[in-house]
């Protein structure tokens, strides 16, 4: 979930990510993770990891 004053509350499922600019299925502490979002986020937005 991503939450912010302008962004509002957006929920999504991440299906693909990159670790240190390489496509990966998992990451460990210290890795730089990136993923694409279907909406714009801002520097003040907060990212929450929600598990079901």
């Amino acid at each position: 979930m991503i939450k912010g004053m302008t962004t509002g509350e957006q929920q999504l499922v991440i299906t693909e990510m990159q670790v240190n600019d390489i496509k990966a299925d998992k990451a460990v502490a210290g890795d730089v993770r990136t993923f694409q979002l279907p909406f714009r986020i801002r520097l003040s937005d907060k990212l929450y990891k929600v598990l079901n």
Side-chain angles (χ1 to χ4, degrees):
M1 173 186 350
I2 296 176
K3 197 173 192 181
M5 293 296 292
T6 305
T7 306
E9 187 175 302
Q10 302 283 338
Q11 295 187 19
L12 65 141
V13 175
I14 298 171
T15 58
E16 185 176 299
M17 74 171 172
Q18 294 183 340
V19 175
N20 302 321
D21 294 325
I22 299 170
K23 186 177 176 181
D25 294 326
K26 64 180 181 175
V28 296
D31 285 344
V32 175
R33 302 160 186 95
T34 56
F35 47 90
Q36 291 197 357
L37 299 173
F39 51 87
R40 181 178 175 190
I41 60 171
R42 288 139 185 97
L43 289 175
S44 61
D45 289 351
K46 302 211 183 305
L47 170 68
Y48 297 93
K49 178 180 177 183
V50 180
L51 301 174
N52 291 333

